[in-house]
Amino acid sequence: MVFSSLEFIFLFLPAFMIVYGLVPTKYKNATLFVGSIFFYSMGVLKKPIYIVLFLLTILFNFIIGEFIENFRKASRLWLVIGIVFNFWWLLFFKYTGFTMENINLFLKNDLPLRDIVLPIGISFYTFQNVSYIIDVYRRKAKAETNLINYGAYISMFPQLIAGPIVKYETVAAQLRNRTHNIRLVEDGLKTFTIGLGYKVLLANQVGGLWTQIGNIGFRSISTPLAWMGILAYTFQIYFDFCGYSYMAIGLGKIMGFDIPKNFDHPYMSTTMGEFWRRWHITLGSWFREYVYIPLGGSRVKTSLIVRNYLVVWLFTGVWHGASWNFILWGLVLFGLIMLERFVIGDFLNKYRIAGHLYMFLVIPLTWLIFAVTDFSQLGVYFSRLVPLFPVKTYAVMEKDYVKYLGIYWKYFLACFVFSTNIPEKIYKKIKSSFFCVILLLIAFWASVYCMYMGMDDPFLYFRF
């Protein structure tokens, strides 16, 4: 069950909100906890053991937090036990198959490969659990003494599956005392609708071109269509994930939670460093606070700064997936950010037009590395983007790009406009107007129609 589904919008959400609204305040966290576990269970019905694992991680980290808080002399030991426990499950489910496959390749063995299905949301709830026990160890947060409150924090269904990654200290006070009123419900529904429109009306529609190119085959597309395809994926992944984050923030508002912003118009950046301060903000903050700064951050000599960045970007690549293309992707981002930091960054920031042109080129190219896991196919696609290198091609339909441009130009235009901050500025001015309500109702029912017609896809970030 996903946010952009008729089952969620017309069955689960109304039923949950009715119960949540009717129960007394002291039972709202319990309602949220139970509702979130039910929501999670709908995604793992074929693997019910994952529900047990999820509940086990909640209980274990709750206990570890208590031990760290109350047994300070052994707090470091408990912290290490907690970190190992959390990352063991993430490593097992996410990287066992990748590790065995590469062992077989390197040693020319034929060890059996297990088909391990990744539990939904494990990358996100693992990071939240780890941030909690680290913050308790650092005394930045008090250990939660109520298991229901901690369970509600970790399992909160708006951000459970794909973030934003919410630190405990961000919502600790709200777990005990938060505001519920009609203004927050209205604001939350509006924010949710914007996210729904981003996902269904923009991401899904423009992403259709990337899907069609995959069906055609990379060897059978022209250079203009290859560029259109990677631009389509560039917009798809943004509006897909940004749309999810908006929906999560909107649902949080309805329940009185202030879920942190996860995107800040990243495609308006002039450097890759700036881009990653605007994209998936909560993940970047997590790596900065729990990896980069503990390694010394920027307070050390240059060689160690480079090392720290390398570690962060290798981890960022590996976190996104168990495949060599993600490692390459992380290394390419590291190289670009180092190039900007030591060579071209000042120029790009000073001459912003040059910066935007630079980003217009490198953003799609880096997303291509992210999107295509097969290196041979990745090489083919690059050869279609820049047809200077000999590669075997099949029949390419003459002026294929004309056909697809005629279909997708309106989605490209809409995506370009909504990736800027112009619509947000307009929205803030008309947010309280009746006209805004009409626009959002149109967006909502247009999204519902698309979902009813089957014009919907799973969220891309669910697989990470």
Side-chain angles (χ1 to χ4, degrees), residues 186-250:
E186 178 187 358
D187 193 21
L189 288 173
K190 288 178 178 178
T191 304
F192 179 87
T193 302
I194 292 171
L196 182 67
Y198 275 12
K199 166 60 179 168
V200 178
L201 302 180
L202 295 180
N204 290 347
Q205 307 313 315
V206 78
L209 177 57
W210 179 250
T211 301
Q212 287 180 294
I213 286 176
N215 293 334
I216 294 170
F218 297 163
R219 296 181 186 274
S220 299
I221 58 175
S222 67
T223 293
L225 185 56
W227 281 101
M228 286 171 55
I230 194 55
L231 185 61
Y233 184 81
T234 296
F235 283 132
Q236 180 191 13
I237 195 169
Y238 171 62
F239 287 106
D240 180 279
F241 195 17
C242 184
Y244 181 96
S245 296
Y246 268 120
M247 284 187 269
I249 291 169

Side-chain angles (χ1 to χ4, degrees), residues 218-219 221-223 226 380-387 391 393 396:
F218 297 163
R219 296 181 186 274
I221 58 175
S222 67
T223 293
V380 171
Y381 204 104
F382 270 111
S383 75
R384 305 313 297 143
L385 291 174
V386 186
V391 63
T393 59
V396 177

Side-chain angles (χ1 to χ4, degrees), residues 329-341:
W329 174 71
L331 290 172
V332 168
L333 293 175
F334 161 74
L336 289 171
I337 289 172
M338 291 298 93
L339 179 66
E340 293 166 3
R341 183 180 179 94

Side-chain angles (χ1 to χ4, degrees), residues 99-136:
T99 302
M100 297 302 295
E101 181 181 343
N102 282 279
I103 289 175
N104 284 343
L105 185 64
F106 182 74
L107 298 179
K108 294 182 170 40
N109 287 337
D110 193 23
L111 298 174
L113 299 177
R114 299 181 61 186
D115 184 19
I116 301 175
V117 179
L118 184 69
I120 296 174
I122 189 171
S123 297
F124 290 91
Y125 70 70
T126 295
F127 271 32
Q128 287 199 183
N129 278 313
V130 170
S131 71
Y132 167 73
I133 61 176
I134 291 177
D135 284 352
V136 172

Side-chain angles (χ1 to χ4, degrees), residues 287-324:
F287 276 116
R288 182 172 59 254
E289 184 163 350
Y290 301 109
V291 179
Y292 182 70
I293 292 177
L295 286 172
S298 299
R299 304 183 306 273
V300 293
K301 61 183 181 179
T302 301
S303 61
L304 294 181
I305 292 175
V306 173
R307 179 208 63 182
N308 297 345
Y309 272 102
L310 177 61
V311 170
V312 166
W313 286 106
L314 278 175
F315 281 175
T316 300
V318 170
W319 181 87
H320 278 87
S323 178
W324 285 106

Side-chain angles (χ1 to χ4, degrees), residues 303-434:
S303 61
L304 294 181
I305 292 175
V306 173
R307 179 208 63 182
N308 297 345
Y309 272 102
L310 177 61
V311 170
V312 166
W313 286 106
L314 278 175
F315 281 175
T316 300
V318 170
W319 181 87
H320 278 87
S323 178
W324 285 106
N325 71 296
F326 292 111
I327 295 174
L328 174 61
W329 174 71
L331 290 172
V332 168
L333 293 175
F334 161 74
L336 289 171
I337 289 172
M338 291 298 93
L339 179 66
E340 293 166 3
R341 183 180 179 94
F342 297 112
V343 184
I344 64 173
D346 291 340
F347 174 82
L348 296 174
N349 286 320
K350 182 177 180 180
Y351 300 100
R352 297 188 64 82
I353 293 178
H356 289 306
L357 291 174
Y358 158 78
M359 291 299 289
F360 185 78
L361 176 65
V362 299
I363 289 176
L365 293 179
T366 55
W367 282 135
L368 178 60
I369 300 171
F370 184 90
V372 182
T373 58
D374 186 318
F375 276 174
S376 64
Q377 289 299 303
L378 182 62
V380 171
Y381 204 104
F382 270 111
S383 75
R384 305 313 297 143
L385 291 174
V386 186
L388 300 178
F389 305 100
V391 63
K392 182 179 179 181
T393 59
Y394 302 127
V396 177
M397 185 176 71
E398 185 178 358
K399 294 186 177 180
D400 54 2
Y401 60 92
V402 175
K403 170 187 173 182
Y404 291 103
L405 185 61
I407 299 171
Y408 288 98
W409 71 268
K410 52 187 175 293
Y411 300 119
F412 280 122
L413 179 61
C415 288
F416 175 78
V417 172
F418 280 92
S419 65
T420 71
N421 61 1
I422 295 173
E424 182 177 319
K425 290 180 178 179
I426 295 174
Y427 174 70
K428 288 180 179 178
K429 291 182 178 180
I430 67 170
K431 184 177 180 179
S432 302
S433 69
F434 181 70

Side-chain angles (χ1 to χ4, degrees), residues 14 20 153 157 190 302 344 346 440 449 456:
Y20 184 82
Y153 156 63
F157 73 86
K190 288 178 178 178
T302 301
I344 64 173
D346 291 340
L440 290 175
Y449 173 77
D456 194 27

